[in-house]
Amino acid sequence: MLAAMPPPVPPPTPAPGAPRVRERADACPGALRLHSADDGHLARLRLPAGRLTARQVEVLADAAEALGDGRISVTSRGNAELRGLADGCGAELAPLLAEAGLLPSPTHERVRNIVASPASGLDGLGTADVQLWARELDERLCAAPWAAGLSGRFLFVLDDGRGDVAGLGGDVTLVAAAPDAALLHMGGRAVRVAAADAPRAALAAARAFLSAARAAGTGAWRVRELPEGHEADVRDVRKALAAEEVPEPVLPQGPPPAPGPLGPAALHVLAPLGRLTAGQLRALLPADEVRLTPWRGAVVAGTDPARLPALEAHGLITRPDSPWAGVSACTGRPGCAKSLADVRADAVPGRPGLPVHYSGCERRCGHPHGDRVDVLAAPGGGYLVDGVPVARTDLARAVTTARTAPRTTR
Ligand code: SF4
């Protein structure tokens, strides 16, 4: 079934301490359920672990040019969005994606939300290759009819032990703890499982969440929305998989891989303001595979890092000292009716430093996790930089100061 949906209406915020009650299923767009925006329809393709084969790169780039606005947006979960799609183009898009293996299960297409350490298995860091876990988890997810009942926002995070993605707010987070062991985190608790059981354990945890959500009757989309007394419990996984509870679980924290070479046969680039042109996406080839990242870039596996200067010439960010590294923006005008400004056109990088995110309204869609400079469009054409009013003409100076000043003095 192909359908264009109107923009989602945000649910009312519950009173402090009151459980959130969801009266409807989530309205997240997908590849089959398009979202209607001011610049046309939008399709969001779930790419478990951000993975695209070389052929899928070509198909996605061709689809963006033939059906959309010629660009591919990379989301904060490493998924891909096509924008500017015409009315009725879903009937053309779906078979293209299916034929390329990008729609393995129409009933599960919106629940394949899996983020995994993108450089896993490529740079010698990390304790296990969680890209392999991601593939097994995706296969198991698509093979489980009940899993189609998860919301389009439910998130699995698989961290290879380096801590680059563990803090990205997963509902179920797996962390490689040793070559033969993994920690499964959910709702503030964790259990240790055998590495070979890790994908199966993540799926069991998701099922425990769905059971808890149904028992609570509040329509929760995510683990943190479950009301008191109905928590999803990792101990259910422990019973199913002979897992051992971890007394004081702590999620590892580490930096994302820097743009540049990643070992002898891989590299990492960032997309300017999180969008790739079809030409920039194709320029990543030849490669064995491309992994879109939660930092709105791409890890390219099976390619020569000596290609980095050529990719820079295509407009991609290839060095950590680029001022555009760490700069992101929401859709803004003209794509979003809520926006007070064309934030993507107004965005200036300032000097390298803290990440900075530009938003057209207070929803701050797509903002990165962690410490960042907040730039918010204000009525009258100006901006608020970390809450301080700034004229548009003064934005570069204000953003440079905010990105580079020590946090304690700001
Ligand atoms: S943050 Fe940006 S994209 Fe999100 S609703 Fe506001 S203006 Fe639109």
Side-chain angles (χ1 to χ4, degrees), residues 330-332 336 338-340 359-365:
C330 77
T331 297
C336 179
K338 291 191 171 61
S339 186
L340 293 175
S359 305
C361 81
E362 291 189 351
R363 291 177 70 159
R364 296 177 171 83
C365 297

Side-chain angles (χ1 to χ4, degrees), residues 48-345:
R51 181 171 179 264
L52 290 164
T53 63
R55 160 135 176 76
Q56 289 168 342
V57 165
E58 298 279 9
V59 168
L60 196 51
D62 291 350
E65 280 179 340
L67 303 174
D69 64 3
R71 292 183 167 78
I72 299 94
S73 300
V74 184
T75 75
S76 59
R77 292 179 167 192
N79 290 321
E81 283 181 358
L82 300 178
R83 302 190 66 101
L85 300 165
D87 264 348
C89 87
E92 276 182 80
L93 180 62
L96 280 178
L97 300 176
E99 192 273 330
L102 288 164
L103 269 180
S105 169
T107 50
H108 291 68
E109 62 108 352
R110 294 186 321 114
V111 304
R112 302 168 69 220
N113 292 300
I114 304 174
V115 168
S117 298
S120 201
L122 299 175
D123 60 357
L125 302 177
T127 308
D129 186 347
V130 293
Q131 292 283 321
L132 301 178
W133 292 359
R135 282 181 222 176
E136 182 182 338
L137 174 57
D138 183 40
E139 282 167 17
R140 288 180 176 277
L141 193 68
C142 290
W146 60 264
L150 291 167
S151 84
R153 302 189 184 208
F154 193 89
L155 177 64
F156 296 93
V157 168
L158 316 182
D159 190 297
D160 70 2
R162 72 180 76 200
D164 60 342
V165 296
L168 295 185
D171 292 282
V172 174
T173 300
L174 280 175
V175 178
D180 60 351
L183 300 184
L184 182 146
H185 296 251
M186 180 169 68
R189 288 177 180 264
V191 289
R192 178 183 292 267
V193 297
D197 287 337
R200 197 154 60 98
L203 199 62
R207 190 162 199 171
F209 159 76
L210 267 190
S211 300
R214 287 195 180 122
T218 53
W221 297 343
R222 306 208 55 186
V223 167
R224 62 171 179 259
E225 294 174 3
L226 289 168
E228 208 175 324
H230 289 277
E231 292 84 0
D233 201 332
V234 286
R235 284 173 293 193
D236 294 342
V237 179
R238 189 179 66 182
K239 283 178 217 148
L241 285 169
E244 167 201 338
E245 187 156 5
V246 177
E248 290 182 22
V250 178
L251 287 167
Q253 281 187 359
L262 271 182
L267 57 85
H268 179 207
V269 295
L270 298 172
L273 293 178
R275 275 194 198 164
L276 295 164
T277 64
Q280 286 171 332
L281 182 60
R282 285 194 198 99
L284 301 177
L285 302 179
D288 291 343
E289 66 182 46
V290 168
R291 302 172 185 171
L292 301 186
T293 74
W295 311 288
R296 296 185 165 85
V299 162
V300 187
T303 200
D304 186 351
R307 294 177 57 233
L308 280 163
L311 294 177
E312 186 167 21
H314 275 278
L316 294 162
I317 299 163
T318 60
R319 292 178 289 116
D321 60 356
S322 162
W324 287 100
V327 183
S328 56
C330 77
T331 297
R333 279 191 190 160
C336 179
K338 291 191 171 61
S339 186
L340 293 175
D342 184 347
V343 289
R344 305 179 68 81

